[in-house]
Amino acid sequence: MSKVATLCYLLAAAYATKFVSSFTTPTLQSKTTATTSGNNQGQNYNLALDLLLHPLRHSLYQPNVSSRSNTYLQSQTTQADVTNTDTTTTTPDIIGTVALLVPSSDQPSKFGSKSPVQPPSYREAAEQLARKIKQFSDGRIAAQVVTPSDVDTSSVLNSNALIALGLTTPQDVQFLSRTFRQRRTAGEEEQSSTQSLKMCQFAVDCGDNNYASIVGPYDEANPSVVSEIAPWSDVASGKRLATQMKELFDKQTSDEFALALMLFFNRFIDKIPWVQHSIDVTWEKGLGNVEEIYNMVTKCGPCITKCLADENCKACIEALDEIDTRDQVASYRTVVSYESELLRDFSLCILQKNNIFGCTAEVPKIPYVEPLGSFR
């Protein structure tokens, strides 16, 4: 039954008309409740696939000049993104911080390995990652790039998440080891408080040394038996997330990197709309899984029956069951590999006619893009 739930979620996001018109993120969390006329369903189906192909839709969002006034556009900005702001502009509340620890001296990174241009240095890559983190979180997560040789390195100890990138020299490795130990000790002292849930640390491309990761209450260096016997617990959730984040970091792309951090903040600190809506049956949802599946079966039973009886639908369910569908790239590749009218009709029932998952979507406030002053 978990496969059925997964298919319902993903297809609803992929083909919903109103979802497309309000599309704000490259993940499948952007879904709306509006309905559309039957005459436009086929056209909107193709439009949905074209938009989902663009993994940077969120960061490249540009309002339609002809349909929005300059006053409205100004209200969508933040003080951090434009110089001239009016009194209605508010700065988003910061829910957490990220420290990106890079080598003291410039070294080429593994980011952009498939690009025809020269790979960026770790500092350049980290600066881009910091921008991505801000955009993915709508300015609610602050990211800072730090090196071991900086005068002020307090952020590596105080930040919610510490990600070390490419530290291999003896001096940098010594600083990294000391920092990880200090953060781990601080986390152990605060185990009885909720503060320990808000810590995360990883070392990426930092040589052959084993730097045990921490995700929330889960510490790879001191694994708890609870993570094995109680899959619904925070410790078990942290362990699953640690594995997933490592896999995303290993892909060496800025989008996957930012996605990994959004998953951590969404799970252990505060909801992040970018990844808030999971389309899978998970331990984290608890009894919410039962309610969603019940609604799908009672309201869209015939659609489910047809999908399960179709060989193509069955293959799609099995493929979706192998991935976290909040990974937009993997989800999109799976959907388009099995697209059909049956999948389209199924999604229309799940999302547009019944809005089983109660999803909404808001236009992101950053990055603010100045509207064109004249047509080109």
Side-chain angles (χ1 to χ4, degrees), residues 143-359:
Q144 181 180 358
V145 181
V146 188
T147 71
S149 59
D150 288 349
V151 176
D152 182 8
T153 59
S154 58
S155 62
V156 300
L157 296 177
N158 301 328
S159 62
N160 296 107
L162 169 63
I163 311 297
L165 299 169
L167 273 63
T168 55
T169 65
Q171 296 84 355
D172 288 352
V173 167
Q174 183 179 14
F175 178 87
L176 174 60
S177 299
R178 182 173 65 252
T179 300
F180 267 36
R181 284 197 304 270
Q182 291 175 332
R183 287 175 60 91
R184 177 168 282 106
T185 300
E188 292 173 351
E189 293 175 351
E190 297 171 345
Q191 275 186 340
S192 59
S193 67
T194 57
Q195 185 64 28
S196 62
L197 295 175
K198 300 181 179 181
M199 179 184 296
C200 170
Q201 64 184 38
F202 280 89
V204 181
D205 298 332
C206 292
D208 298 328
N209 294 328
N210 182 23
Y211 300 98
S213 60
I214 295 177
V215 179
Y218 173 73
D219 186 350
E220 187 180 13
N222 302 293
S224 170
V225 67
V226 176
S227 63
E228 300 294 338
I229 64 175
W232 59 85
S233 65
D234 287 336
V235 179
S237 180
K239 181 179 180 180
R240 290 190 295 269
L241 186 53
T243 301
Q244 183 179 5
M245 292 178 70
K246 285 182 179 179
E247 293 174 353
L248 291 171
F249 288 146
D250 288 343
K251 294 182 179 181
Q252 299 287 346
T253 69
S254 60
D255 280 359
E256 304 287 6
F257 190 102
L259 171 62
L261 288 169
M262 295 305 106
L263 292 174
F264 163 71
F265 279 90
N266 182 74
R267 175 64 184 88
F268 290 110
I269 297 183
D270 199 3
K271 295 300 181 183
I272 304 294
W274 192 278
V275 294
Q276 180 178 354
H277 301 289
S278 171
I279 65 176
D280 306 308
V281 175
T282 65
W283 284 106
E284 286 74 16
K285 286 185 179 180
L287 294 177
N289 295 309
V290 178
E291 180 181 359
E292 292 168 352
I293 294 175
Y294 174 79
N295 288 334
M296 284 189 291
V297 172
T298 57
K299 297 179 180 180
C300 295
C303 293
I304 294 176
T305 302
K306 291 179 181 179
C307 271
L308 294 179
D310 182 79
E311 183 177 349
N312 188 64
C313 274
K314 182 178 179 181
C316 186
I317 292 174
E318 293 175 349
L320 294 173
D321 204 40
E322 299 297 325
I323 64 174
D324 184 334
T325 45
R326 288 175 294 184
D327 186 337
Q328 185 270 339
V329 176
S331 300
Y332 172 74
R333 288 175 176 172
T334 302
V335 171
V336 297
S337 297
Y338 300 94
E339 60 180 295
S340 68
E341 291 187 5
L342 183 60
L343 298 182
R344 179 194 63 190
D345 295 340
F346 188 15
S347 65
L348 290 175
C349 176
I350 296 297
L351 180 65
Q352 289 190 290
K353 294 180 180 179
N354 297 285
N355 189 28
I356 288 176
F357 309 116
C359 299

Side-chain angles (χ1 to χ4, degrees), residues 63 68-79 82 84-92 363-366 368 371:
R68 289 178 170 87
S69 65
N70 289 333
T71 302
Y72 175 81
L73 291 173
Q74 284 291 345
S75 69
Q76 303 303 303
T77 66
T78 64
Q79 294 178 352
V82 292
N84 299 322
T85 58
D86 54 31
T87 57
T88 63
T89 301
T90 58
T91 302
V363 176
K365 295 180 175 62
I366 60 173
Y368 174 72

Side-chain angles (χ1 to χ4, degrees), residues 81-135:
D81 292 287
V82 292
T83 303
N84 299 322
T85 58
D86 54 31
T87 57
T88 63
T89 301
T90 58
T91 302
D93 294 332
I94 301 299
I95 64 170
T97 56
V98 176
L100 302 172
L101 185 62
V102 299
S104 299
S105 58
D106 277 350
Q107 300 177 24
S109 69
K110 294 182 180 180
F111 290 90
S113 59
K114 297 181 181 180
S115 173
V117 300
Q118 184 178 359
S121 67
Y122 277 108
R123 171 173 281 279
E124 292 172 331
E127 290 172 349
Q128 170 65 3
L129 294 174
R131 289 189 288 268
K132 284 284 186 178
I133 291 169
K134 179 180 179 181
Q135 293 173 10

